[in-house]
């Protein structure tokens, strides 16, 4: 699976949009981009995933660049409860390692009042 | 649907003892995963089941670790002759399909003293 690069930390004001970047320059054509977050002392929570089209759900939007080498997770109106570690993961949708998510260090997002 | 349940939430054991953790996945999910997370790190993949078949194992899963999923329902993770380095959060996740988001449990925190 392709490696990802994320900033170690970011801050955001409550009510504003949080834009979390992720670089995955070695991504291959059959690899999806997944985002998870982990609030302190809880298990990771799935947020969203996509292959090449932008995606939106009730939690967030995922913007993938046309060359697929980077993506941005957007939390449109951040709240204090969005303070968490956000992980960007790239993985193949099939094959022999389809059970495995490779978590990096993630981005610690702190939402301030 | 009550989510993924893990039991116990916390376990303190003496070095050399055996411990067993249980995971109950979401009932219709046929895929089940075990991860381990140490302080300050992202989760690391341990093993993966599709129904009752264990299809993938990480090199992290030494001979002292064994996982089962009888009848393709709940799963157990046993650690024999625990060592202090086994102290970690053990996370279980389940999914319906391999390219869907995973649902994680809250984990079992193991402390080996």
């Amino acid at each position: 699976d392709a490696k990802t690069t994320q900033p170690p930390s970011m801050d955001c004001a409550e009510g504003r949009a949080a834009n979390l970047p992720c670089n995955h320059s070695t991504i291959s054509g059959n690899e999806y981009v997944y985002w998870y977050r982990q609030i302190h002392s809880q298990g990771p929570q799935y947020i969203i995933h996509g292959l090449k089209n932008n995606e939106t759900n009730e939690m967030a939007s995922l913007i993938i660049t046309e060359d697929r080498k980077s993506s941005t997770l957007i939390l449109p109106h951040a709240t204090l409860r969005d303070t968490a570690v956000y992980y960007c993961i790239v993985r193949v949708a099939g094959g022999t390692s389809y059970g495995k998510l490779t978590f990096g260090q993630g981005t610690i997002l702190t939402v301030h009042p | 649907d009550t989510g993924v349940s893990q039991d116990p939430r916390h376990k303190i054991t003496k070095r050399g003892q055996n411990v067993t953790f249980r995971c109950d996945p979401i009932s219709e999910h046929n895929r089940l995963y075990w991860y381990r997370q140490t302080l300050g790190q992202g989760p690391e993949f341990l093993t993966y089941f599709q129904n009752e078949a264990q299809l993938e194992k990480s090199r992290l899963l030494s001979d002292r670790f064994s996982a089962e999923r009888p009848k393709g329902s709940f799963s157990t993770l046993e650690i024999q002759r625990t060592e202090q380095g086994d102290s970690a959060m053990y996370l279980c996740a389940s999914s319906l399909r391999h390219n869907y988001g995973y649902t994680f449990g809250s984990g079992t925190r193991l402390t080996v003293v």
Side-chain angles (χ1 to χ4, degrees):
Chain A
D1 293 340
K3 291 185 177 179
T4 62
T5 303
Q6 299 178 252
S9 64
M10 293 183 64
D11 290 337
C12 179
E14 189 177 21
R16 305 297 293 268
N19 297 284
L20 292 90
C22 179
N23 286 322
H24 31 79
S25 58
T26 59
I27 192 170
S28 57
N30 62 346
E31 289 182 311
Y32 285 75
V33 180
Y34 287 77
W35 283 85
Y36 284 77
R37 73 180 182 184
Q38 189 170 24
I39 295 169
H40 183 61
S41 296
Q42 297 182 21
Q45 176 188 25
Y46 165 77
I47 302 173
I48 198 167
H49 75 283
L51 183 61
K52 52 185 176 181
N53 297 320
N54 297 338
E55 303 288 344
T56 295
N57 62 20
E58 65 278 4
M59 290 183 67
S61 295
L62 173 60
I63 308 298
I64 303 173
T65 58
E66 191 170 346
D67 63 7
R68 301 207 327 120
K69 293 185 177 182
S70 66
S71 61
T72 301
L73 178 75
I74 300 173
L75 308 178
H77 306 286
T79 71
L80 299 178
R81 288 176 295 180
D82 292 322
T83 293
V85 180
Y86 286 77
Y87 296 100
C88 170
I89 299 166
V90 174
R91 65 179 288 255
V92 178
T96 58
S97 294
Y98 46 74
K100 180 180 179 181
L101 294 175
T102 302
F103 289 82
Q105 295 296 314
T107 296
I108 300 172
L109 174 69
T110 304
V111 181
H112 296 286
Chain B
D1 177 1
T2 57
V4 177
S5 298
Q6 291 190 247
D7 183 68
R9 288 296 309 275
H10 303 275
K11 178 70 176 179
I12 300 174
T13 191
K14 292 184 178 179
R15 189 175 52 187
Q17 297 294 305
N18 299 344
V19 294
T20 300
F21 310 140
R22 177 181 171 121
C23 171
D24 287 90
I26 292 173
S27 57
E28 64 267 28
H29 286 184
N30 61 350
R31 290 169 167 82
L32 185 145
Y33 317 85
W34 284 97
Y35 283 76
R36 180 174 72 183
Q37 185 173 25
T38 54
L39 202 61
Q41 303 297 314
E44 297 173 293
F45 171 77
L46 291 178
T47 191
Y48 156 64
F49 289 86
Q50 183 170 326
N51 299 311
E52 66 276 7
Q54 188 173 19
L55 296 185
E56 191 174 2
K57 292 171 63 174
S58 164
R59 287 171 293 177
L60 293 174
L61 215 65
S62 74
D63 292 345
R64 297 184 297 106
F65 287 70
S66 63
E68 295 182 342
R69 192 183 182 196
K71 302 179 182 178
S73 56
F74 70 93
S75 176
T76 59
L77 178 68
E78 180 183 17
I79 308 174
Q80 296 182 328
R81 305 180 303 282
T82 52
E83 302 171 356
Q84 287 190 318
D86 297 331
S87 295
M89 175 76 83
Y90 289 84
L91 294 160
C92 177
S94 69
S95 72
L96 185 58
R97 297 188 189 281
H98 57 74
N99 60 338
Y100 284 18
Y102 298 178
T103 301
F104 280 84
S106 296
T108 293
R109 180 165 296 284
L110 173 67
T111 302
V112 181
V113 297

